[in-house]
Amino acid sequence: VNLLLVVYNYNNRATKKIERALASQNKAYDKRTLLEFVEYKKKSGKTVYPHVVPREFLEKNQGKNFYLTAMPNTNYVSCNEFGEWKQFRTDDLGFNNEKFIKNFEILLVGDSFAEGSCVNKLSEPSNLFSKNYNLLTYSIGVSGNGPLLSLALIHEMQNKVNFNHIVWLIYDNDFYDLKVEKKHSFLNNYLKNDFLKNNYFEDIDRIKKEQIKYINSKLSSYKKKYSLKENILELKELIFFLNTLHQSEKTSKDYSNDFKDDFKKVFSKLEKLYPNKKITVVYLPETTCFTSRGKDCTLRFELLSSTSKKIKFLNFYDHIKSNFKNFKEIYALGMDRAHFSEKGYRELVKFIHGKF
């Protein structure tokens, strides 16, 4: 299978669907490619970088250099699921927050959903917690991060911040992510009981210089009408399925046990790092959970919730099924494999807050 071709074709179809959906609402779609948008900003005197995520560096560098965040104090453009390119500026540590804060209520953890990808700034989950419920929230969510990359960040944040509650958003494809991340020894180090940390943030200026050099050398790869890193993430379930076809000697029960053991190790280390913090893990469904994978998604939550007796586990999949006749309201323009809509993020934060 030519996965690059599959990605390109898939994205073309998705773009056309977004254009049609916006046209029905008399709204425009910015047809500029990511590179064209970056170049437009450059000509207007503003430096903006495409949001190349740690996951891409992980695959390219094979552990020679490790990056856990985006570049600090940097303007980025990431995705276009609502008709216009999402722009944001990172804080002193490289996260999507207005500024770095040391004392707050909630540490928000996860991938692009925790980062607030694609949706407008006010509808990002960290801002919704802070403004709608007076729960000051700091997000260390990073697009593409799976459970081990997220655990590494939680590790590195130790002694840098003070908070009361960890909220970790586990998206459906994090099960696949964990299998990929396990292949990298420097990430596995974070699972060891005697491992402290790599002092990542103390070296962040050097890391930023390396990232700038890498991104500038790869800008030409963004000439197509898609961001490769985003769409590879969208195809994770397909890739995982193809991989399992070559592992026919293993039963589904074996895979379930593998997933359970892996997540148990992650959450066990989390509890060891923060024994006195409240911890809530929220399972987020992908759109196919509502069309063809209902039993699998139910099983995934059951698997997650069986890994720890100390952590509170919340099932956003069940909440959507029970409260919405049309699940597509929760996703950007009702698109398949999209991030949440503004309504979706509001409902997610309301759901979590109601369980505190």
Side-chain angles (χ1 to χ4, degrees):
V1 179
N2 187 332
L3 284 177
L4 185 59
L5 181 59
V6 171
V7 170
Y8 180 74
N9 289 335
Y10 174 85
N11 190 75
N12 275 349
R13 292 196 300 272
T15 298
K16 291 176 181 177
K17 288 181 180 179
I18 293 173
E19 287 188 60
R20 287 196 295 268
L22 288 169
S24 68
Q25 302 174 26
N26 294 317
K27 295 181 180 179
Y29 178 80
D30 188 341
K31 295 183 179 182
R32 288 175 294 184
T33 65
L34 182 63
L35 181 61
E36 287 170 345
F37 187 86
V38 170
E39 291 179 338
Y40 164 77
K41 285 292 184 178
K42 184 177 180 181
K43 289 178 181 178
S44 63
K46 298 180 180 179
T47 300
V48 176
Y49 289 95
H51 189 24
V52 180
V53 300
R55 173 65 177 272
E56 180 166 341
F57 291 112
L58 184 69
E59 296 297 329
K60 298 293 183 182
N61 295 328
Q62 296 297 314
K64 295 178 182 178
N65 298 300
F66 73 97
Y67 309 120
L68 302 178
T69 66
M71 296 181 288
N73 302 310
T74 302
N75 296 316
Y76 279 102
V77 55
S78 57
C79 52
N80 183 352
E81 289 185 352
F82 292 93
E84 59 185 35
W85 287 102
K86 169 67 179 285
Q87 300 177 71
F88 66 95
R89 182 173 177 81
T90 54
D91 63 20
D92 291 344
L93 298 185
F95 298 115
N96 180 24
N97 297 289
E98 186 175 342
K99 62 180 180 179
F100 170 71
I101 50 177
K102 187 174 179 62
N103 301 296
F104 48 89
E105 181 64 27
I106 297 174
L107 180 69
L108 185 62
V109 183
D111 59 6
S112 52
F113 285 84
E115 187 180 56
S117 285
C118 301
V119 78
N120 70 69
K121 194 72 178 175
L122 292 177
S123 297
E124 293 171 358
S126 58
N127 291 326
L128 291 173
F129 273 119
S130 298
K131 296 178 180 179
N132 291 3
Y133 300 99
N134 199 30
L135 294 170
L136 190 59
T137 301
Y138 186 76
S139 174
I140 61 170
V142 179
S143 292
N145 275 15
L148 282 184
L149 277 167
S150 293
L151 179 66
L153 279 175
I154 295 172
H155 234 300
E156 299 293 336
M157 292 297 291
Q158 239 189 343
N159 303 320
K160 293 191 74 67
V161 290
N162 301 309
F163 59 91
N164 295 317
H165 202 145
I166 294 173
V167 174
W168 193 336
L169 306 183
I170 297 288
Y171 183 55
D172 204 31
N173 62 23
D174 279 336
F175 289 78
Y176 172 78
D177 287 341
L178 190 49
K179 291 299 180 186
V180 173
E181 292 174 349
K182 277 177 58 180
K183 298 176 182 178
H184 299 272
S185 60
F186 81 86
L187 285 179
N188 283 312
N189 285 334
Y190 287 95
L191 290 171
K192 298 176 181 178
N193 285 330
D194 58 349
F195 182 77
L196 298 177
K197 57 181 179 178
N198 282 306
N199 296 315
Y200 175 83
F201 294 107
E202 280 65 36
D203 203 23
I204 200 164
D205 290 335
R206 176 190 61 81
I207 290 171
K208 178 175 182 176
K209 291 178 182 178
E210 291 180 358
Q211 287 183 306
I212 289 176
K213 182 178 179 181
Y214 176 87
I215 293 173
N216 285 337
S217 70
K218 301 294 181 181
L219 276 178
S220 60
S221 67
Y222 291 92
K223 288 182 179 179
K224 298 295 183 181
K225 290 187 177 180
Y226 62 89
S227 166
L228 182 58
K229 59 93 183 173
E230 284 291 335
N231 287 281
I232 282 294
L233 299 182
E234 292 169 351
L235 288 174
K236 282 179 181 176
E237 292 298 333
L238 170 62
I239 298 170
F240 177 58
F241 173 71
L242 293 174
N243 287 339
T244 60
L245 293 180
H246 299 288
Q247 302 286 339
S248 57
E249 71 277 6
K250 278 201 167 189
T251 66
S252 59
K253 183 177 181 180
D254 291 327
Y255 279 112
S256 295
N257 288 335
D258 286 348
F259 283 136
K260 182 175 181 178
D261 290 342
D262 291 340
F263 275 104
K264 185 177 290 187
K265 291 175 183 176
V266 171
F267 294 144
S268 177
K269 187 58 185 290
L270 176 63
E271 292 169 0
K272 180 178 174 61
L273 290 171
Y274 296 97
N276 300 316
K277 305 297 183 185
K278 297 177 183 178
I279 303 174
T280 299
V281 171
V282 189
Y283 172 63
L284 307 182
E286 194 262 332
T287 53
T288 56
C289 289
F290 302 95
T291 57
S292 59
R293 294 179 47 247
K295 289 183 178 179
D296 179 47
C297 298
T298 296
L299 177 63
R300 289 188 174 194
F301 176 74
E302 291 174 352
L303 183 154
L304 277 177
S305 59
S306 68
T307 57
S308 171
K309 295 182 179 180
K310 298 179 181 179
I311 295 174
K312 177 184 286 188
F313 292 90
L314 302 180
N315 190 345
F316 194 49
Y317 168 52
D318 268 358
H319 177 78
I320 296 172
K321 282 199 306 178
S322 300
N323 293 277
F324 292 87
K325 292 182 179 180
N326 183 8
F327 70 89
K328 291 189 175 183
E329 295 177 54
I330 299 298
Y331 297 89
L333 297 177
M335 296 290 110
D336 293 334
R337 296 181 175 87
H339 292 92
F340 291 149
S341 61
E342 293 179 13
K343 181 176 184 177
Y345 279 113
R346 287 197 306 270
E347 188 65 27
L348 171 65
V349 173
K350 178 183 176 182
F351 167 67
I352 296 171
H353 176 260
K355 300 295 184 179
F356 279 177

